[in-house]
Amino acid sequence: MYQAHFGFTQLPFHLTPNVSLFQPLSPHLEAIEMVLAGLSMNEGIMHISGEVGTGKTLVCRILMRYLPNDVDLVYLPTPALSAQELRQCVANELAVVSHSVLPTQTISELQMALIERRMIGRRVLVLVDEAQALPDEALEALRLLGNLETEQEKLLHIVLLGQPELAQRLATPQLRQLEQRVVLGRIAFAYGSGSVVVYFASFAEFRSGASSFFDTPMSIYLACQ
């Protein structure tokens, strides 16, 4: 009904992130720049936190498009995994065949594979979406994977994207060692009224072609009502 009323050619909002609708607001750009800077500085574990619906998964998708050419990606979109399952998922994504259930053996095999990739100029980034859903043992497994390094550099870069509960968990005593390994963090996506206007206006323009459809906070408020 509102599609016809407002003259939209397609539905303006969906729960599934759509990168074609990406509106580069400052919180998203800062998060993306942080990850790219962390890669350039050869940092290990990074953390991006934000409330539900603020664009963390969309940032993930944008990062996949703009990673440097020498970066191999391991994407874990639904990481409610045990520690062993997480290690196995990373191994599978890197084409490492591991039949061992021993954590030390799996980690050793991953380390060798990462060293081989580094020798030919490749780097590996692990993107963990919805990281707040991981059990403590899996977060600890990520910490240990983040420790993999040569004498000069880290072998694995890890980005944890999650809701604010993740930041709260990282502050607990049982995960303090992981928190200490987080070298860069972008905590909480926050939007002011100006950002909200830009966000709604860009969606309206894309869906209807009307560039001034939502041009004031009041017009947005009335439309939402």
Side-chain angles (χ1 to χ4, degrees):
M1 179 176 67
Y2 72 84
Q3 186 173 349
H5 176 77
F6 290 115
F8 292 148
T9 58
Q10 51 186 303
L11 293 174
F13 304 108
H14 293 281
L15 292 177
T16 302
N18 186 342
V19 294
S20 67
L21 297 178
F22 177 61
Q23 173 63 36
L25 301 178
S26 59
H28 299 139
L29 293 177
E30 289 171 13
I32 292 168
E33 289 170 358
M34 181 198 76
V35 174
L36 296 179
L39 283 171
S40 67
M41 294 185 293
N42 196 38
E43 300 292 4
I45 302 176
M46 294 163 271
H47 172 212
I48 297 172
S49 175
E51 288 286 357
V52 177
T54 52
K56 298 182 298 299
T57 300
L58 186 58
V59 164
C60 234
R61 303 274 176 86
I62 295 296
L63 273 170
M64 291 179 195
R65 288 191 170 192
Y66 293 102
L67 286 175
N69 293 331
D70 66 333
V71 174
D72 297 327
L73 176 67
V74 174
Y75 178 47
L76 303 179
T78 53
L81 306 169
S82 69
Q84 179 58 24
E85 289 170 336
L86 186 143
R87 284 188 290 266
Q88 194 60 56
C89 281
V90 174
N92 291 343
E93 289 292 318
L94 296 176
V96 176
V97 179
S98 176
H99 301 292
S100 175
V101 296
L102 296 175
T104 53
Q105 181 63 30
T106 304
I107 291 174
S108 178
E109 292 167 347
L110 279 170
Q111 183 172 24
M112 291 304 299
L114 291 169
I115 289 174
E116 290 173 2
R117 285 175 185 254
R118 199 69 199 100
M119 289 176 64
I120 60 173
R122 307 298 301 172
R123 295 179 289 167
V124 177
L125 173 67
V126 179
L127 283 179
V128 186
D129 202 1
E130 301 295 342
Q132 79 284 342
L134 284 172
D136 286 356
E137 61 163 347
L139 287 170
E140 174 63 11
L142 280 173
R143 181 186 73 83
L144 295 175
L145 290 177
N147 285 343
L148 297 178
E149 58 190 8
T150 66
E151 293 182 356
Q152 293 83 27
E153 59 188 352
K154 291 289 185 182
L155 290 171
L156 197 63
H157 309 283
I158 300 170
V159 178
L160 303 174
L161 296 102
Q163 297 169 23
E165 298 93 301
L166 176 61
Q168 296 166 10
R169 289 180 61 197
L170 291 177
T172 59
Q174 60 267 32
L175 293 175
R176 61 186 175 85
Q177 287 184 304
L178 174 58
E179 184 187 34
Q180 291 170 357
R181 298 295 192 280
V182 176
V183 292
L184 294 172
R186 176 67 176 86
I187 308 300
F189 291 158
Y191 303 114
S193 60
S195 295
V196 173
V197 170
V198 171
Y199 177 79
F200 272 83
S202 66
F203 269 63
E205 180 178 1
F206 181 85
R207 299 300 194 182
S208 69
S211 60
S212 60
F213 195 87
F214 291 130
D215 54 4
T216 66
M218 181 56 69
S219 65
I220 293 174
Y221 173 80
L222 293 174
C224 291
Q225 296 302 306

